Amino acid sequence: MSAHPYDHGHTVAGWTGCGIAVAGTALLGAGVCTVSGPLLAAGAAVDVLALLVTWALHLAGWGKPSGPRPRGEWSWRVRDSGARAGHAECLGCRLAGRRGGRTVVPARPISSPQAAPVETDAVGVGG
């Protein structure tokens, strides 16, 4: 279990994407300091790669949905069980075509007896 009482959202997707983005940002910084166009382009490419890797890992279940997770899923080593269907309100899932978050609730039968039909006047107003 975790030593802290809150879910901080540490995930494989988050850690991997952050590590790659730090490397890309370091390349961008080196490109700025040396005024090197190729280093700037390489840094930007690595940062875009970080975004794509993080997105792919999120869709593979190594990310997390927004909001709190159940306590059993707080460890960063636990895959997200709802990733295949997609997460509600998740831009990454919507971009991948996963609409998720919608649960189909079966209709409940009406337990009360049917109401008598309402008589209407000529205008169509009940009365």
Side-chain angles (χ1 to χ4, degrees):
M1 268 303 170
S2 177
H4 48 78
Y6 304 105
D7 174 22
H8 291 288
H10 302 296
T11 63
V12 172
W15 284 108
T16 305
C18 185
I20 296 171
V22 166
T25 304
L27 281 174
L28 278 169
V32 168
C33 291
T34 61
V35 191
S36 171
L39 276 179
L40 288 171
V46 171
D47 279 343
V48 169
L49 177 68
L51 175 72
L52 295 174
V53 166
T54 304
W55 184 34
L57 286 171
H58 171 77
L59 293 175
W62 290 109
K64 78 172 229 100
S66 54
R69 293 183 288 181
R71 190 162 179 81
E73 295 182 10
W74 281 10
S75 173
W76 66 275
R77 297 176 196 95
V78 176
R79 290 183 79 165
D80 177 23
S81 57
R84 184 173 295 277
H87 303 112
E89 304 298 321
C90 176
L91 176 63
C93 290
R94 285 196 312 254
L95 287 174
R98 298 179 183 179
R99 298 293 177 191
R102 297 183 187 142
T103 56
V104 178
V105 178
R108 293 184 293 169
I110 300 173
S111 59
S112 63
Q114 288 186 354
V118 177
E119 295 182 20
T120 59
D121 59 13
V123 182
V125 178

